[in-house]
Amino acid sequence: MARGAQASRNTAEPTDWVTRAADDAIRHAEQTRAQDGGDRIITCASGASPSGPIHLGNLREFLTVHFVAEEIRRRGIAVRHLHSWDDYDRFRKVPAGVDPSWDEHIGRPLSAVPDPWGCHESWAEHFKAPLRAALAEMGVEMEEVSQTEQYRAGAYRDQILTAVSRRADIERVMAQYRTKAAPAPESEEEAASLEDSVANDEPEGETELARFPYKPYCRECGRDTTTVTSYDDDTTDLAYTCQVCGFEGVTNLTTQSEGKLVWKVDWPMRWSVEGVDFEPGGVDHATPGSSYTVGKELVKQVYGARAPSFVGYSFVGVAGMAKMSSSKGGVPTAADALKILEAPILRWLYVRRQPKQAFTIDFGPEVVRLYDEWDALGKKAANPDRSDAQTLAFERASATAAAGRLPTPSVVVPFRVLSSVADVTAGSAEQISRIVEHVGHAHGTVTDLDGHRFTCFATDTRRGQLADVVRGRVGFDSRDLTEIVHRMRCVRRAAARARAGDPAARRVPRSSRRAVCGPRSGRCRASNGRDPGSPARTPGGTTGRRRRSAAEEGSSSAPACSPAGSWR
């Protein structure tokens, strides 16, 4: 890595939190190199426990590191995104919807718990796989490390022996922070995330053995429900008793790999082994006495290394859901979000805000507005003279160094237009293409429109797909569904009046603006100023409700969710 690489960034360019985090990571790497000598690749690290669905709150861990690594790579500096799967963590609880008999696996490593659905080799792999696929669609590439493989291969054996021999120093640091209580959660979403957090996990008890920094898994039943009964510093023999099966065993820390370091020692240990320069964490990890606070002391005193630069990120919620908890299940994931949002838009939700800002993703009324805002920002970004932090966020969301520009349709049609036209045409790709061309979005063939927005409406999953996802997965009832459903109904009424001879309604197909409602208007322009629920005027001048045909009834109903679509 060339010294002064940070200065190679053009100071006239707009900056954001990613720029500053990349600066910190590069500075950390340069200082470490000056201290240790030699040259090395910059390491930006993330970590997650596959204890359940990797939900949209967890996604912030991955994307925060991804954006910082991308910025460093953009400057021509060698960097890697190293992700640790904490699959050697214990299985804590059985989520709703899983056979209660799985409680027999509580205490075993996640990688040793069988997959209840039988499609993967373990519980951990079941939840890793869909996240990998979603990240690939979003252009995120990372080097993955399984902590199960690392521990069982003895990769950390020397570091474990160091921690055990320095256990008095570890306890001294732990004791300094033990009385400092973490602040109370400020929201239900934060409280739910804290339930899954290991930020404040540490051994309990008053004796030295009760607070031993190494936890063996029982050789007989495989659980971590063990109590250390003795340790011999000369032989490194550790004796333990399992509180569940009653097994009494001895494991040798020099020759055997049957356990792991407790979390607050494990994390700083890995910083020293992996040479981490940047790693984010939930704000729960930066509170007094939590993982990062304690870890930056331990990594220096026990391992003689430096803590990485750190960014604490706040929680991400989903409108319509009080809590998101991986271990409880039933939470929206990145794969679910990608059924509604284009990959660049989902990336944009995370990069446009400071990590410390909490935010909520709304799969209801905000979807249409979000697409409109994204399209407007794209037009702004196309003008180099209007470059600012907003357009920088757009560029970060739209492309990666490895994947290039993420897939988007060659002809971008406003989401509002598609949501309106699709219902009128009963989802016919050819009809949608014809009307879209008529309202001013010229294209050569239907394939020019092929993209996330188009296929969302013009596939055999029907126009109700999006509404179904929103209603079935997030819990909005029919009155709270996205404006899409309302717009579909408005356009259908306008089309019916046009067929009946209403001159004003005949203009609807010529302007998408007349075919939809205003973003904040309580009245429908497509209904010619009347409230959508008011009686429609008949050709004879009287009012009355026209009876909807069976085809119209069917077109507005959402298909039932399939088992394959369940959030697990």
Side-chain angles (χ1 to χ4, degrees), residues 160-169 213 231 233:
I160 290 172
L161 292 171
T162 298
V164 171
S165 67
R166 302 286 301 275
R167 59 188 180 275
D169 296 327
Y231 179 72
D233 285 285

Side-chain angles (χ1 to χ4, degrees), residues 17 21 60-61 64 267 278-287 292 308-315 353-358:
W17 69 266
R60 200 166 203 176
E61 171 82 11
T64 300
W267 199 17
F278 169 78
E279 183 163 7
V283 291
D284 51 313
H285 287 282
T287 57
Y292 184 76
S309 59
F310 178 83
V311 168
Y313 56 79
S314 290
F315 302 98
R353 294 179 175 87
Q354 297 276 349
K356 63 182 179 182
Q357 289 182 289

Side-chain angles (χ1 to χ4, degrees), residues 110 133 231 257 283 298 371 413 436 450 496 502 505 516 544:
L110 294 167
Y231 179 72
S257 302
V283 291
L298 293 180
Y371 269 94
V413 181
V436 164
D450 194 14
D502 186 335
V516 296

Side-chain angles (χ1 to χ4, degrees), residues 486 490-491 515-518 521-532:
H486 175 55
C490 293
V491 172
V516 296
C517 305
S521 173
R523 300 172 70 82
C524 176
R525 296 185 186 126
S527 302
N528 204 23
R530 290 189 300 275
D531 184 274

Side-chain angles (χ1 to χ4, degrees), residues 480-503:
D480 299 319
L481 285 176
T482 162
E483 288 175 282
I484 296 168
V485 175
H486 175 55
R487 295 174 196 281
M488 288 178 178
R489 291 172 179 166
C490 293
V491 172
R492 185 166 53 246
R493 291 191 185 99
R497 291 186 1 257
R499 290 193 297 269
D502 186 335

